[in-house]
Amino acid sequence: MSVNTFGHLLRVTTWGESHGPAIGCVVDGCPPLIHLSEADIQPFLDARRPGQSRHTTQRREPDQVRILSGVFEGQDGIQRTTGTPISLMIENVDQRAKDYQRAAYRPGHADYAYDAKYGIRDYRGGGRSSARETAMRVAAGAIARKISSEVQLTTYLSELGGDAIDRGAFDADAINQNDFFCPDPKAAERWAVMLDEARREGDSLGAVVECVASGVPAGWGAPIYAKLDAAIAQAMMGINAAKGVEIGDGFAAARLKGSENADAMRPAKDLGGDTPDFASNHAGGTAGGIATGQPIVVRVAFKPTSSIRKPVATVDSDGTETEISTTGRHDPCVGIRAVPVVEAMLALVLADQKLLHRAQTG
Amino acid sequence: MSVNTFGHLLRVTTWGESHGPAIGCVVDGCPPLIHLSEADIQPFLDARRPGQSRHTTQRREPDQVRILSGVFEGQDGIQRTTGTPISLMIENVDQRAKDYQRAAYRPGHADYAYDAKYGIRDYRGGGRSSARETAMRVAAGAIARKISSEVQLTTYLSELGGDAIDRGAFDADAINQNDFFCPDPKAAERWAVMLDEARREGDSLGAVVECVASGVPAGWGAPIYAKLDAAIAQAMMGINAAKGVEIGDGFAAARLKGSENADAMRPAKDLGGDTPDFASNHAGGTAGGIATGQPIVVRVAFKPTSSIRKPVATVDSDGTETEISTTGRHDPCVGIRAVPVVEAMLALVLADQKLLHRAQTG
Amino acid sequence: MSVNTFGHLLRVTTWGESHGPAIGCVVDGCPPLIHLSEADIQPFLDARRPGQSRHTTQRREPDQVRILSGVFEGQDGIQRTTGTPISLMIENVDQRAKDYQRAAYRPGHADYAYDAKYGIRDYRGGGRSSARETAMRVAAGAIARKISSEVQLTTYLSELGGDAIDRGAFDADAINQNDFFCPDPKAAERWAVMLDEARREGDSLGAVVECVASGVPAGWGAPIYAKLDAAIAQAMMGINAAKGVEIGDGFAAARLKGSENADAMRPAKDLGGDTPDFASNHAGGTAGGIATGQPIVVRVAFKPTSSIRKPVATVDSDGTETEISTTGRHDPCVGIRAVPVVEAMLALVLADQKLLHRAQTG
Amino acid sequence: MSVNTFGHLLRVTTWGESHGPAIGCVVDGCPPLIHLSEADIQPFLDARRPGQSRHTTQRREPDQVRILSGVFEGQDGIQRTTGTPISLMIENVDQRAKDYQRAAYRPGHADYAYDAKYGIRDYRGGGRSSARETAMRVAAGAIARKISSEVQLTTYLSELGGDAIDRGAFDADAINQNDFFCPDPKAAERWAVMLDEARREGDSLGAVVECVASGVPAGWGAPIYAKLDAAIAQAMMGINAAKGVEIGDGFAAARLKGSENADAMRPAKDLGGDTPDFASNHAGGTAGGIATGQPIVVRVAFKPTSSIRKPVATVDSDGTETEISTTGRHDPCVGIRAVPVVEAMLALVLADQKLLHRAQTG
């Protein structure tokens, strides 16, 4: 079982609550001799950090990561991984100022479920169930990228509040030029209006994150229970607020005919290699759970933020009827800040698969 | 890594190819003293068996299961599990008559991917990547049901070829009264027409399977990487031809506002217990990865069968251009026979979660 | 947990009881393209098979192994592994003739402990706790050897009934020329006398098995909890009747001074490689859990057979006082037939380590 | 694989090097609602801490543990485990003052093996291979004790430099009244003289640690690969400098006859329970890998400290011949400080087994 550990050969174990002294993770199984310093990790944490636009929570978390083990600086002054566990830690700076009290069960949150399971819960800011834990996924993902450096990842919001991007207007450069990781600048404009309105109403919106991994060699992955699709689905559905995942055409494939869904192949003369040329990629880069060499395409549905100002009926832990209105500084759309998390999880899956593939096939 | 093993404490390891002498599985970690004989398993295999209507493949596989270990008949004549590994085996009856040759890579199949990974593949009927392997999941699932006997599972097709059931006409009794595990008799009639037409055209259709688990106690599951949602997603996406999975409202939740998606709670006076009464179940029975006591609702998208008579361009293993038309006896909609497989996988997940939950919380 | 599964990347799951219809195992994670047929496995089973001399049990078990999956015969007529799970099965030929009854708890056997744990046990011939299970370890070990073919294994009895071999008289060729896998022909003669006497007295003797693995590359293994020493100790102590294990000088090292125990190194000029030349091998081929390139030396202590004709006081499952005298055909020294089992377990550990090492270090 | 993780359901992942900023561990899978604060852990760390007598290294490591996550203080002011991962950290206080240089490979140390495996190593004080890592095992073990509080552990040195205790003079109270965890006061006096002499000569001595666990319920443990014996052996052989492990009579059992080694049973009338009364405990508390209810008896052999002042021939990492004399502050007998580590590892194994047993059998 691996409640707080992710991965088979590249294993990430995270710990920490939103309002404890710190959060952290241990990355075990990393190959040795990879150049690694805090500077390789911090930019990804910065991309996830809240408070960077009016569309995300206004909390201020500097999220400065420290590497506590697993690297060593050689005589050339370059710090490298040693093959031993890499411990990362981020101190929780502001948590002491907060004044949390045990409150009613917040609908959509894990409050009631934690109590039902453990008979106890750290109710300060969500405790372990807070999205704060995802900072460590992003940090670990930065290491994973260095392990599977042949892979390029592109991640963006493809839908917000039910409003999808125009795929004809897809502009990869636009992704980092708006507050939404949106590849369609016009959609980004609409989304800003929608989100402002939701915030005014004390409400929140859902979103769909899409992640494309190019450069994944044909052969990574495995059949049956360890299918690449299964590993990805597990990774994504383990992210806070995720409620659906699809590979390639996903649910839309269930509405196609076999002749429409077929990814025809032809000899890849230009490529000079073994990989055939695929006329389409309905499958999203996998067949039988194994990478085909085509881009891996993943989509993840995020529900709207559960913490909303609009009051909702609920009960407290004594079973008394009450109503809750969450007034703190919350993301009006958790899907936005999920973008770097989805990318990190795919990076972790692929690095693990790279190690697993070479273990069996040499 | 667990390529051919599923589960943490209740572990199923399957083996066998579609055209080898047999297929089988080992179920390890089963609690002792559970009444178990072949008669507990066979009905579920019969439900999955092909050739039961014109809408599934016309192959004849008796799929008679044998229990080779892990049970013992006491002096009362009742056979019980002993806590040791349960070995199940089904002999492949007809496989010798087949005359398979190494052919071109079938688009949508794992042929090319297996060659890319392993440099070798058993090309007789799909070998290991054949849906035949799912028979063992169904067999193992029958054991899982006995472990988590507090859970009731209802599974059906909710969509075929893009045509959805009318939820207002939902009739659980209808599910086993048509060829499609369809709870809406009128939809079943439309689907018969659609599938006949697809078959005539040498084409195939996709489908969506829905599975509902009632009676899951609040508290099963776990946070973070082992979320119940993540375990279910992994289980479902490891089934042949699955391309998407969602829990509760899934992708539709991404289109709701927070106020619409909130599952309000109120005191469950009538129930007399600790579980609150939920006004809705958008979440599909989980919060923070832990069961809330509400029904677990899962939907899985199955792509249309890749083996179609309509010709598709492809290459053979030498990289030569060719075209393929698959003329064998194939299911025109793999989603139909996936129904018992989805149910078995959920049974396996839930039984495993039951053991995990009592391990940690006593 | 892996009650019935051994290994991390090369995983063996065994099943079956001594008096069920068959025993078997599934070997998962095997690299593809390895030549493998029953003929590669059978000789090792034959070496373990009982009834080959008067010094082992007179039961007749042909132990004919069948490969049921995971191999494929190419057009060159050579059967190779495909990277999918290899299922091996041996039918239990004579088990029906037996007439076992639930008897008193046999001291030294697992009878009472199984009842205490599971509340049920298959009492026919020891059921799952029978040494019969080790046949599958030997079968799986034959596959492991092919994976780590750079390693040479030499295994023998170094002590029987407290009488040790003369290491000055060590003759590797003698090992297979006597009934005891004994490298010292004179010791073998003494042991024959000792064992004849023990058998006459209705008693049994213990033994120590020693296994030496040459050719293990420096670097295999790992630090901390996955030390090569730890993996080997786990493997060996999981064999029936094993009660002690040591690496290199083992317990004798605890009686040496640091200056005596030091394995001095010097440049290995002749070898032309990176491996230093070690002046001694007190460590038994490991340092910090990692192979040094020196031979791995393992010793395993086996207690005397618990099934003896001499009566021993015991209780039956109702708690009634009784006495038991085991009159069946039992090995008077289980250590003898443990020799191929120890070797197989070391082969399994080393093949697994090879895959783990190349996973992390490429 | 679990290089830096120990356990199945109670999992400890350690990290850190002897001269990095800190060492730590994450304890995952702990049951909720257990009272836990630093005060429960610190005494065990203090017992392991160096510099408490002239017979251990004179380094000063305050080893002050902090709990960073996984506990929560309720309104009653009592801090309890929450079921989420417990992160423990100890800062390395003195490590900056040290001035280590990459030196020749120290015989008996992991220096050469790490380089062979990883191509890099943190050469400051042994880096990851330093016994400093065992502090975290002791800390985690303190948590394990609280999980399996029905078990009582007694651990001591039974042999030092080949000089064994007189079992007739065994005095449990004496264990903590001398510098050697020695239950025989006279042996402790002899050992002081022996160790003073070894230190004067620039040499070191080995030792044997014995650990007895009473109160382990019959039924914990499992058959085959997960035998309690196998789990214990793996745990012990993963400790630095351990070279041998035995359960019960161990290697001595290999020199007994079956009739001498038999642990006769009789009805335990006085006990009123199901557990029979055993006339002896040659088996050391296990049968078939499962606890019998008798005390678990484990012995672990520790080689003499490899770091000695007496010069030993070696090579440096360039392959140049040299000689090494280790002049730092090293334990002249690592076995002494291994006592709390052995006890902690057995506590971890038993707590894990408790969870595993109740998972399967309820």
Side-chain angles (χ1 to χ4, degrees), chain A residues 1 3 112 114 117 133 159 203-204 219 221 223 225 243 245 247 253 255 258-259 265 267 276 283 286 304 313-315 356-357, chain B residues 1 3 112 114 117 133 159 203-204 219 221 223 225 243 245 247 253 255 258-259 265 267 275-276 283 304 313-314 356-357:
Chain A
M1 218 327 233
V3 171
Y112 165 66
Y114 266 65
K117 182 172 192 71
E133 186 268 347
E159 196 180 311
D203 217 327
S204 63
Y225 306 108
K243 296 306 289 184
V245 62
I247 307 289
R255 287 149 205 153
S259 56
M265 286 177 260
T286 71
T314 190
V315 296
L356 286 165
H357 180 65
Chain B
M1 201 11 200
V3 171
Y112 165 66
Y114 265 65
K117 182 171 193 72
E133 186 269 346
E159 195 181 311
D203 217 328
S204 62
Y225 305 110
K243 296 306 287 184
V245 63
I247 308 291
R255 285 149 207 153
S259 56
M265 286 178 259
T275 306
T314 191
L356 287 165
H357 180 66

Side-chain angles (χ1 to χ4, degrees), chain B residues 72-84:
Chain B
F72 188 63
E73 192 178 304
Q75 289 170 343
D76 56 5
I78 296 173
Q79 193 168 267
R80 293 176 176 84
T81 60
T82 60
T84 63

Side-chain angles (χ1 to χ4, degrees), chain C residues 1 3 112 114 117 133 159 203-204 219 221 223 225 243 245 247 253 255 258-259 265 267 276 283 304 313-315 356-357, chain D residues 1 3 112 114 117 133 159 203-204 219 221 223 225 243 245 247 253 255 258-259 265 275-276 283 286 304 313-315 356-357:
Chain C
M1 216 330 233
V3 171
Y112 165 65
Y114 265 65
K117 182 173 195 69
E133 186 269 347
E159 196 180 311
D203 217 326
S204 63
Y225 305 108
K243 296 305 287 184
V245 62
I247 308 290
R255 287 151 205 152
S259 56
M265 286 178 259
T314 190
V315 297
L356 286 165
H357 181 66
Chain D
M1 226 315 242
V3 171
Y112 165 65
Y114 266 65
K117 182 172 194 69
E133 186 269 343
E159 192 179 314
D203 217 327
S204 63
Y225 305 111
K243 297 305 288 183
V245 61
I247 308 290
R255 287 150 205 152
S259 55
M265 286 178 260
T275 306
T286 71
T314 190
V315 296
L356 287 163
H357 181 65

Side-chain angles (χ1 to χ4, degrees), chain A residues 91-125:
Chain A
E91 294 195 33
N92 284 335
V93 173
D94 285 334
Q95 89 284 1
R96 287 191 200 111
K98 298 288 166 52
D99 188 11
Y100 276 89
Q101 289 191 317
R102 180 153 193 160
Y105 293 137
R106 296 167 298 165
H109 278 281
D111 300 347
Y112 165 66
Y114 266 65
D115 262 4
K117 182 172 192 71
Y118 298 118
I120 183 175
R121 76 191 153 94
D122 181 344
Y123 45 76
R124 300 165 305 166

Side-chain angles (χ1 to χ4, degrees), chain D residues 265-286:
Chain D
M265 286 178 260
R266 56 182 177 196
K269 287 168 197 156
D270 309 342
L271 303 178
D274 288 343
T275 306
D277 204 10
F278 286 83
S280 55
N281 188 23
H282 294 285
T286 71

